[in-house]
Amino acid sequence: FVDPSDDPEVIEACCALIRDFLNSGAPQQTVSHLSNAYRNTLRHYAPQMGAGWRKVDKGQWELVRADSGHDVADRKVEVVECIKRACEDAGGVCRARHAFDCLPPDLVAFLQVELGVRNLRDLPAACAEECANAGLRMNV
């Protein structure tokens, strides 16, 4: 993991971009051609401000709106079921990155904003009961 920038101009620009996205009402916004300082700062501040952050393609990232209208327990079950389905589709075993990439954008945002999960290594701690009920075992 790389720390966010400590440059006030970078921080303000990133926070302004996130605020503008959240105020726009759009479900997603693609950003591209970012320097490492801006990318790392956006990745750090987006979940704190209520938006998810994910890689879409090489050089393209996406701010994603977190849908706060659902029950947290239901969303946890939904996340675990999506991951389990991705593993089953891959023959019963898959890499965490593949499973994470299979999640819909709104679930990525839920994980980051509501649960503070930055990658799937943190999932068993955040969703232990749901993983056990689904029979999902993760080697972390």
Side-chain angles (χ1 to χ4, degrees), residues 11-26 29 42 45-46 49-51 63 65:
I11 293 170
E12 181 51 40
C14 290
C15 289
L17 180 66
I18 296 165
R19 272 193 305 276
D20 291 346
F21 161 69
L22 291 172
N23 290 337
S24 75
Q29 178 179 327
L42 281 167
Y45 283 102
M49 295 176 70
L63 287 165
R65 182 172 305 284

mmCIF file of all heavy atoms in Angstrom, residues 11-26 29 42 45-46 49-51 63 65:
data_model
loop_
_atom_site.group_PDB
_atom_site.id
_atom_site.type_symbol
_atom_site.label_atom_id
_atom_site.label_comp_id
_atom_site.label_asym_id
_atom_site.label_seq_id
_atom_site.Cartn_x
_atom_site.Cartn_y
_atom_site.Cartn_z
ATOM 1 N N ILE A 11 -4.568 17.087 -2.101
ATOM 2 C CA ILE A 11 -5.667 16.661 -1.236
ATOM 3 C C ILE A 11 -6.936 17.433 -1.564
ATOM 4 O O ILE A 11 -8.008 16.842 -1.724
ATOM 5 C CB ILE A 11 -5.293 16.829 0.255
ATOM 6 C CG1 ILE A 11 -4.168 15.852 0.619
ATOM 7 C CG2 ILE A 11 -6.511 16.616 1.154
ATOM 8 C CD1 ILE A 11 -3.552 16.098 1.978
ATOM 9 N N GLU A 12 -6.824 18.746 -1.698
ATOM 10 C CA GLU A 12 -7.996 19.564 -2.001
ATOM 11 C C GLU A 12 -8.579 19.218 -3.368
ATOM 12 O O GLU A 12 -9.798 19.123 -3.525
ATOM 13 C CB GLU A 12 -7.668 21.049 -1.926
ATOM 14 C CG GLU A 12 -8.855 21.955 -2.203
ATOM 15 C CD GLU A 12 -10.105 21.629 -1.389
ATOM 16 O OE1 GLU A 12 -9.988 21.309 -0.195
ATOM 17 O OE2 GLU A 12 -11.215 21.682 -1.971
ATOM 18 N N ALA A 13 -7.724 19.019 -4.373
ATOM 19 C CA ALA A 13 -8.207 18.666 -5.709
ATOM 20 C C ALA A 13 -8.937 17.324 -5.681
ATOM 21 O O ALA A 13 -10.001 17.164 -6.305
ATOM 22 C CB ALA A 13 -7.042 18.620 -6.697
ATOM 23 N N CYS A 14 -8.396 16.367 -4.954
ATOM 24 C CA CYS A 14 -9.020 15.044 -4.875
ATOM 25 C C CYS A 14 -10.348 15.106 -4.125
ATOM 26 O O CYS A 14 -11.336 14.505 -4.561
ATOM 27 C CB CYS A 14 -8.075 14.044 -4.212
ATOM 28 S SG CYS A 14 -6.656 13.632 -5.240
ATOM 29 N N CYS A 15 -10.364 15.816 -3.018
ATOM 30 C CA CYS A 15 -11.605 15.948 -2.252
ATOM 31 C C CYS A 15 -12.671 16.685 -3.063
ATOM 32 O O CYS A 15 -13.853 16.335 -3.012
ATOM 33 C CB CYS A 15 -11.341 16.644 -0.925
ATOM 34 S SG CYS A 15 -10.431 15.611 0.247
ATOM 35 N N ALA A 16 -12.268 17.675 -3.838
ATOM 36 C CA ALA A 16 -13.210 18.403 -4.692
ATOM 37 C C ALA A 16 -13.782 17.473 -5.762
ATOM 38 O O ALA A 16 -14.989 17.513 -6.046
ATOM 39 C CB ALA A 16 -12.530 19.608 -5.335
ATOM 40 N N LEU A 17 -12.943 16.637 -6.341
ATOM 41 C CA LEU A 17 -13.403 15.680 -7.353
ATOM 42 C C LEU A 17 -14.414 14.709 -6.752
ATOM 43 O O LEU A 17 -15.460 14.437 -7.348
ATOM 44 C CB LEU A 17 -12.220 14.912 -7.946
ATOM 45 C CG LEU A 17 -12.548 13.883 -9.022
ATOM 46 C CD1 LEU A 17 -13.090 14.559 -10.271
ATOM 47 C CD2 LEU A 17 -11.313 13.077 -9.361
ATOM 48 N N ILE A 18 -14.130 14.220 -5.566
ATOM 49 C CA ILE A 18 -15.050 13.291 -4.895
ATOM 50 C C ILE A 18 -16.358 13.991 -4.547
ATOM 51 O O ILE A 18 -17.447 13.451 -4.778
ATOM 52 C CB ILE A 18 -14.389 12.688 -3.633
ATOM 53 C CG1 ILE A 18 -13.175 11.844 -4.024
ATOM 54 C CG2 ILE A 18 -15.392 11.845 -2.852
ATOM 55 C CD1 ILE A 18 -12.254 11.499 -2.868
ATOM 56 N N ARG A 19 -16.276 15.214 -4.009
ATOM 57 C CA ARG A 19 -17.488 15.977 -3.679
ATOM 58 C C ARG A 19 -18.333 16.222 -4.921
ATOM 59 O O ARG A 19 -19.555 16.054 -4.894
ATOM 60 C CB ARG A 19 -17.128 17.313 -3.038
ATOM 61 C CG ARG A 19 -16.974 17.282 -1.545
ATOM 62 C CD ARG A 19 -16.919 18.692 -0.942
ATOM 63 N NE ARG A 19 -15.888 19.539 -1.514
ATOM 64 C CZ ARG A 19 -14.616 19.537 -1.128
ATOM 65 N NH1 ARG A 19 -14.212 18.744 -0.181
ATOM 66 N NH2 ARG A 19 -13.748 20.354 -1.700
ATOM 67 N N ASP A 20 -17.692 16.628 -6.012
ATOM 68 C CA ASP A 20 -18.422 16.879 -7.257
ATOM 69 C C ASP A 20 -19.111 15.618 -7.750
ATOM 70 O O ASP A 20 -20.251 15.659 -8.215
ATOM 71 C CB ASP A 20 -17.486 17.418 -8.340
ATOM 72 C CG ASP A 20 -16.997 18.826 -8.052
ATOM 73 O OD1 ASP A 20 -17.574 19.496 -7.162
ATOM 74 O OD2 ASP A 20 -16.021 19.247 -8.704
ATOM 75 N N PHE A 21 -18.405 14.490 -7.648
ATOM 76 C CA PHE A 21 -19.009 13.211 -8.050
ATOM 77 C C PHE A 21 -20.230 12.905 -7.182
ATOM 78 O O PHE A 21 -21.303 12.572 -7.694
ATOM 79 C CB PHE A 21 -17.985 12.075 -7.956
ATOM 80 C CG PHE A 21 -18.617 10.724 -7.917
ATOM 81 C CD1 PHE A 21 -19.269 10.216 -9.035
ATOM 82 C CD2 PHE A 21 -18.578 9.953 -6.769
ATOM 83 C CE1 PHE A 21 -19.884 8.972 -8.997
ATOM 84 C CE2 PHE A 21 -19.182 8.712 -6.722
ATOM 85 C CZ PHE A 21 -19.832 8.217 -7.839
ATOM 86 N N LEU A 22 -20.088 13.007 -5.880
ATOM 87 C CA LEU A 22 -21.202 12.689 -4.980
ATOM 88 C C LEU A 22 -22.378 13.636 -5.197
ATOM 89 O O LEU A 22 -23.536 13.214 -5.147
ATOM 90 C CB LEU A 22 -20.738 12.720 -3.529
ATOM 91 C CG LEU A 22 -19.775 11.603 -3.133
ATOM 92 C CD1 LEU A 22 -19.218 11.844 -1.741
ATOM 93 C CD2 LEU A 22 -20.439 10.240 -3.227
ATOM 94 N N ASN A 23 -22.099 14.907 -5.472
ATOM 95 C CA ASN A 23 -23.162 15.881 -5.715
ATOM 96 C C ASN A 23 -23.832 15.690 -7.072
ATOM 97 O O ASN A 23 -24.961 16.133 -7.268
ATOM 98 C CB ASN A 23 -22.622 17.305 -5.604
ATOM 99 C CG ASN A 23 -22.263 17.666 -4.182
ATOM 100 O OD1 ASN A 23 -22.770 17.080 -3.232
ATOM 101 N ND2 ASN A 23 -21.361 18.629 -4.028
ATOM 102 N N SER A 24 -23.146 15.032 -8.009
ATOM 103 C CA SER A 24 -23.691 14.850 -9.354
ATOM 104 C C SER A 24 -24.852 13.864 -9.391
ATOM 105 O O SER A 24 -25.681 13.918 -10.292
ATOM 106 C CB SER A 24 -22.598 14.366 -10.311
ATOM 107 O OG SER A 24 -22.302 12.983 -10.072
ATOM 108 N N GLY A 25 -24.887 12.938 -8.447
ATOM 109 C CA GLY A 25 -25.940 11.927 -8.450
ATOM 110 C C GLY A 25 -25.648 10.754 -9.366
ATOM 111 O O GLY A 25 -26.412 9.797 -9.411
ATOM 112 N N ALA A 26 -24.558 10.812 -10.114
ATOM 113 C CA ALA A 26 -24.194 9.713 -11.021
ATOM 114 C C ALA A 26 -23.779 8.486 -10.212
ATOM 115 O O ALA A 26 -23.178 8.621 -9.144
ATOM 116 C CB ALA A 26 -23.045 10.143 -11.935
ATOM 117 N N GLN A 29 -18.185 7.350 -11.905
ATOM 118 C CA GLN A 29 -17.458 8.340 -12.694
ATOM 119 C C GLN A 29 -16.057 7.809 -12.942
ATOM 120 O O GLN A 29 -15.318 7.516 -12.011
ATOM 121 C CB GLN A 29 -17.376 9.679 -11.959
ATOM 122 C CG GLN A 29 -16.583 10.727 -12.723
ATOM 123 C CD GLN A 29 -16.547 12.047 -11.979
ATOM 124 O OE1 GLN A 29 -17.484 12.423 -11.299
ATOM 125 N NE2 GLN A 29 -15.434 12.747 -12.110
ATOM 126 N N LEU A 42 -6.915 9.805 -3.947
ATOM 127 C CA LEU A 42 -8.323 9.489 -4.203
ATOM 128 C C LEU A 42 -8.712 8.168 -3.548
ATOM 129 O O LEU A 42 -9.770 8.061 -2.920
ATOM 130 C CB LEU A 42 -8.597 9.429 -5.707
ATOM 131 C CG LEU A 42 -8.756 10.774 -6.405
ATOM 132 C CD1 LEU A 42 -8.702 10.603 -7.912
ATOM 133 C CD2 LEU A 42 -10.050 11.441 -5.990
ATOM 134 N N TYR A 45 -9.122 8.867 0.273
ATOM 135 C CA TYR A 45 -10.203 9.732 0.737
ATOM 136 C C TYR A 45 -11.590 9.320 0.260
ATOM 137 O O TYR A 45 -12.580 9.639 0.926
ATOM 138 C CB TYR A 45 -9.935 11.189 0.336
ATOM 139 C CG TYR A 45 -8.905 11.840 1.217
ATOM 140 C CD1 TYR A 45 -7.599 12.008 0.783
ATOM 141 C CD2 TYR A 45 -9.225 12.257 2.503
ATOM 142 C CE1 TYR A 45 -6.642 12.587 1.600
ATOM 143 C CE2 TYR A 45 -8.272 12.841 3.324
ATOM 144 C CZ TYR A 45 -6.986 12.995 2.869
ATOM 145 O OH TYR A 45 -6.043 13.562 3.684
ATOM 146 N N ALA A 46 -11.722 8.617 -0.857
ATOM 147 C CA ALA A 46 -13.041 8.264 -1.383
ATOM 148 C C ALA A 46 -13.897 7.512 -0.360
ATOM 149 O O ALA A 46 -15.034 7.921 -0.103
ATOM 150 C CB ALA A 46 -12.905 7.479 -2.686
ATOM 151 N N MET A 49 -15.224 9.656 2.402
ATOM 152 C CA MET A 49 -16.220 10.646 1.998
ATOM 153 C C MET A 49 -17.507 9.999 1.481
ATOM 154 O O MET A 49 -18.447 10.706 1.130
ATOM 155 C CB MET A 49 -15.617 11.578 0.939
ATOM 156 C CG MET A 49 -14.476 12.405 1.482
ATOM 157 S SD MET A 49 -13.683 13.434 0.217
ATOM 158 C CE MET A 49 -14.972 14.649 -0.102
ATOM 159 N N GLY A 50 -17.550 8.662 1.405
ATOM 160 C CA GLY A 50 -18.776 7.975 1.006
ATOM 161 C C GLY A 50 -18.796 7.442 -0.402
ATOM 162 O O GLY A 50 -19.870 7.169 -0.944
ATOM 163 N N ALA A 51 -17.648 7.273 -1.016
ATOM 164 C CA ALA A 51 -17.585 6.733 -2.377
ATOM 165 C C ALA A 51 -16.611 5.548 -2.414
ATOM 166 O O ALA A 51 -15.646 5.502 -1.658
ATOM 167 C CB ALA A 51 -17.121 7.805 -3.357
ATOM 168 N N LEU A 63 -14.751 6.159 -9.532
ATOM 169 C CA LEU A 63 -15.431 6.488 -8.289
ATOM 170 C C LEU A 63 -16.816 5.858 -8.384
ATOM 171 O O LEU A 63 -17.469 5.959 -9.430
ATOM 172 C CB LEU A 63 -15.558 7.997 -8.114
ATOM 173 C CG LEU A 63 -14.288 8.743 -7.754
ATOM 174 C CD1 LEU A 63 -14.476 10.245 -7.970
ATOM 175 C CD2 LEU A 63 -13.894 8.449 -6.319
ATOM 176 N N ARG A 65 -20.611 5.228 -6.385
ATOM 177 C CA ARG A 65 -21.502 5.668 -5.312
ATOM 178 C C ARG A 65 -21.858 4.483 -4.423
ATOM 179 O O ARG A 65 -22.207 3.419 -4.900
ATOM 180 C CB ARG A 65 -22.777 6.248 -5.917
ATOM 181 C CG ARG A 65 -23.757 6.776 -4.890
ATOM 182 C CD ARG A 65 -24.896 7.518 -5.560
ATOM 183 N NE ARG A 65 -24.423 8.571 -6.434
ATOM 184 C CZ ARG A 65 -23.953 9.751 -6.023
ATOM 185 N NH1 ARG A 65 -23.899 10.011 -4.752
ATOM 186 N NH2 ARG A 65 -23.550 10.656 -6.881
#
